[in-house]
Structure formats: C-alpha cells, structure tokens
C-alpha cells in the first residue's frame, strides 16, 4: 500500500499562503494546483524517488500521499524534507515575533517562506536564478530534473542529488540543461556537498553566527554577496538583504525613493534596519505584495501562465 504521512503544523499554518510565499514554489519539481490547493512534487529518498501529493485537511493537518510504500527510515526522511520545504516546523512564536517587529503582516499571517526539501536544492536554485530572466530559471530547473533527476513510480522527476550532479560533465549541463556559464560551478558545488565539505547541519544550527555563515557561503564557487544573502534566508536567517536591480525598482516605484543606484542601496539598507533579524521577511513580503497587486493572490497563479511572468520586470 502506498504511504500517507500526516504532519500537525502550528495552528496558524495555512498551506496555500505558506507554500505560495516564495518563487521557488513555481520551479520544478514543484507543482501547485490553484484549483485543488495541492502541492505535488517528487522527493528523492533513500530507496528511490517517490511522488507526494500534499494538501491540508479541514482539521489543519498536512497530508502527504505518496505513490509507493515508504519504510520507516524513508518516512522519517520524508517528514524532515516536508517540514523544511513547507516551513511547517516554524513555530507560531517565531511568526508572532516577526509581527511584533513588523505589524503590517499580522492580519494576513505572513511569516513563513517556502523553500526546498534540501539545502543543496536551494543553493542550486539560487545559482540558476542569478543574472538571468525568470523564464530561463524555470527552464534550467526543469531540464535539471528531466536530465538528472530520478523518476518516481508515477513518472515524475525528482530534483537531482548532489551525488548525481557531482558525476556530471559541465559540458553536458550546458548543452542539455541550458545552464550556461553556471555549468562548472554547479558540478563543483555538487562535489563539495557529495564529499561532505558543506555541513548543512552547521549552517542551519541556531548557534552558528550569521556572520560565519555568510563568510562561508561567499567562499563557495559561484556564490557572491547577493546569492549568499539569499541562501541565508533559505537557511531561516533573515538578517541580510539580497539587494539587486529588483530592489532598486522596488525602492523607486513602491517606497518612493530617488537617487543613484548606490544611494538607493544605502537607503534600502537603512529602511529595513529597524526590522532587525526579520529584515528580509519585511522586504520580501513588500515585494510579494506588489506582485500580488498585479496578478492576484499567489495561490491562484497558474504555473505555466502567471507563474512564468511574475517578476516585476514583466509586470508593466
């Protein structure tokens, strides 16, 4: 019998809101269905890939129905992945602390951000989203899954593991996955993970200082200050801002700031400083609010229509 897992999240958890809170929910192998309010994706587990259909029951529990049986070890592995991806292990007290720092988001309940089941996937998704238009990011992640991901019994592809990409040839990544100059960097990152040189537990441990994490991330191939700051929020560390051209657009169009790019970057930093360790949350939900003002609530976005064009550059 295929396995069904249930997770009891905090009482304020809302699957539609908290999944559709960050752009990675659109990227393969994630598939959000706005009509049924379900998230489908394939997880790469110890015994192979397994597709999960995830929803929230009337009682508030999260339910994940898999396309094959999972043994006890895989069930534990899948629970950890689901909790990380869905931010279902972020306690209500943490969200309340954010709302005390920035009360604007209390009514909506926003505070959790969607991410990937593994840090490796988050880092590769970050690499594929830098210095490129969003539609190309979508293509890169789809091709990575189709070319290097393991297939589940029902036919879907998982995101490739570090072990798989560590054995890949950069030229193959460039030709078949359309990753461009990122080809060698993706392979290098995969090898570092596969050989144990990147300690995800240390990076995610609350006792590890943010500054130490930031410095380490910047030492990785292809990871600059912007990418490092973005990976930090995917680690649950919201004290840094990944500022880019989108931030400049936001400063001018939404916050009413003017000046040179350098001046705007300084003003943005000062603007979000009062939010302390939650500053990325405040910044991101402002951006997300702008996107939703143009295209409606994110949980209503169709993956292959609105989902491909939600970036501000295409929301004229």
């Amino acid at each position: 019998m295929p396995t069904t897992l249930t997770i009891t999240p905090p009482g304020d958890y809302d699957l539609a809101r908290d999944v559709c809170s960050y752009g990675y929910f659109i990227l393969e192998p994630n598939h959000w269905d706005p009509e049924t309010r379900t998230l489908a994706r394939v997880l790469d587990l110890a015994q192979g890939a397994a597709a999960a259909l995830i929803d929230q029951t009337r009682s508030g529990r999260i339910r994940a129905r898999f396309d094959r049986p999972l043994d006890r070890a895989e069930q534990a592995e899948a629970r950890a992945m689901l909790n990380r991806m869905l931010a279902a292990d972020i306690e209500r007290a943490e969200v309340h602390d954010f709302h005390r720092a920035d009360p604007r988001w209390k009514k909506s309940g926003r505070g959790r951000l969607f991410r990937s089941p593994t840090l490796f996937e988050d880092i590769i998704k970050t690499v594929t989203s830098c210095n490129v238009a969003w539609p190309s990011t979508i293509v890169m992640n789809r091709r990575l899954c189709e070319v290097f991901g393991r297939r589940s019994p029902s036919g879907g592809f998982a995101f490739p593991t570090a072990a798989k990409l560590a054995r890949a040839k950069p030229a193959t990544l460039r030709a078949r996955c359309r990753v461009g100059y990122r080809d060698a960097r993706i392979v290098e990152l995969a090898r570092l993970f596969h050989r144990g040189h990147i300690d995800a537990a240390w990076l995610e441990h609350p006792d590890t200082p943010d500054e130490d994490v930031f410095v380490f991330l910047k030492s990785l191939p292809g990871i600059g200050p912007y990418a490092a700051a973005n990976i930090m929020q995917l680690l649950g560390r919201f004290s840094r801002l990944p500022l880019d051209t989108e931030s400049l657009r936001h400063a001018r169009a939404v916050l009413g700031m003017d000046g040179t790019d350098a001046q705007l970057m300084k003003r943005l930093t000062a603007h979000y400083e009062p939010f302390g360790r939650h500053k990325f949350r405040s910044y991101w939900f402002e951006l997300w609010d702008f996107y939703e003002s143009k295209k409606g609530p994110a949980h209503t976005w169709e993956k292959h229509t609105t989902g491909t064009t939600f970036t501000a550059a295409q929301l004229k």
Side-chain angles (χ1 to χ4, degrees):
M1 289 285 293
T3 296
T4 296
L5 297 179
T6 59
I7 294 172
T8 303
D12 63 333
Y13 188 86
D14 184 286
L15 186 75
R17 179 196 65 207
D18 296 334
V19 164
C20 305
S21 59
Y22 191 68
Y24 289 4
F25 88 94
I26 293 166
L27 298 179
E28 295 289 336
N30 300 309
H31 297 268
W32 173 258
D33 186 329
E35 292 189 6
T36 61
R37 293 196 172 199
T38 57
L39 175 69
R41 78 154 283 157
V42 179
L43 299 179
D44 195 302
L45 302 173
Q47 303 302 320
L53 183 64
I54 304 160
D55 63 3
Q56 188 168 21
T57 67
R58 291 183 178 180
S59 66
R61 288 187 173 185
I62 296 168
R63 178 176 56 183
R65 289 169 284 179
F66 290 85
D67 63 351
R68 66 171 177 83
L70 308 184
D71 63 25
R72 288 189 177 183
E74 284 189 313
Q75 289 182 32
E77 185 182 9
R79 283 183 186 277
M81 288 183 169
L82 291 168
N83 272 315
R84 187 184 196 282
M85 177 174 66
L86 304 175
D89 55 355
I90 304 300
E91 294 297 335
R92 182 181 294 186
E94 169 69 11
V95 177
H96 285 182
D97 191 67
F98 166 55
H99 292 161
R100 283 193 290 271
D102 191 347
R104 292 176 298 169
W105 311 111
K106 182 176 181 179
K107 183 177 180 180
S108 67
R110 287 176 171 172
R112 297 177 179 85
L113 284 161
F114 182 82
R115 52 186 180 171
S116 302
T118 67
L119 176 60
F120 174 69
E121 183 177 330
D122 272 337
I123 288 181
I124 299 303
K125 278 182 160 57
T126 297
V127 169
T128 62
S129 64
C130 291
N131 303 315
V132 69
W134 182 247
S136 294
T137 298
I138 291 173
V139 170
M140 283 186 248
N141 281 275
R142 175 173 58 81
R143 294 297 296 158
L144 283 169
C145 293
E146 291 172 352
V147 175
F148 292 102
R150 291 202 285 185
R151 189 189 289 264
S152 75
S154 56
F157 293 98
F159 195 84
T161 63
K164 183 72 172 182
L165 288 180
R167 298 191 297 270
K169 295 180 179 179
T172 303
L173 279 171
R174 181 182 286 257
R176 300 191 64 192
C177 302
R178 306 175 198 173
V179 299
Y181 71 89
R182 303 164 186 81
D183 53 359
R185 296 176 182 179
I186 290 174
V187 173
E188 287 179 67
L189 287 165
R191 288 173 178 170
L192 288 171
F193 266 96
H194 183 53
R195 294 168 182 170
H197 297 312
I198 298 177
D199 186 349
W202 177 79
L203 290 167
E204 300 199 68
H205 198 284
D207 290 343
T208 307
D210 280 2
E211 185 60 27
D212 291 357
V213 172
F214 189 65
V215 170
F216 175 79
L217 291 173
K218 287 194 299 177
S219 74
L220 298 177
I223 305 298
Y226 169 84
N230 191 66
I231 294 167
M232 285 190 70
Q233 66 88 6
L234 295 165
L235 286 163
R237 299 173 181 272
F238 303 103
S239 64
R240 289 185 179 268
L241 297 174
L243 300 179
D244 60 359
T245 54
E246 174 69 341
S247 311
L248 297 174
R249 189 280 315 161
H250 183 70
R252 293 187 174 102
V254 177
L255 300 179
M257 297 177 178
D258 55 24
T260 66
D261 288 358
Q263 289 171 334
L264 287 177
M265 289 296 188
K266 290 182 179 179
R267 289 171 185 169
L268 283 167
T269 300
H271 176 76
Y272 292 105
E273 192 59 35
F275 301 115
R277 70 182 187 89
H278 298 290
K279 59 173 66 79
F280 177 86
R281 282 181 164 122
S282 293
Y283 164 72
W284 181 255
F285 289 129
E286 281 186 4
L287 288 180
W288 208 241
D289 194 55
F290 170 79
Y291 299 148
E292 292 191 326
S293 74
K294 299 294 184 179
K295 291 294 185 178
H299 69 262
T300 68
W301 295 355
E302 293 285 349
K303 180 183 178 78
H304 300 295
T305 54
T306 305
T308 65
T309 60
F310 79 88
T311 50
Q314 301 187 38
L315 296 179
K316 303 297 186 184

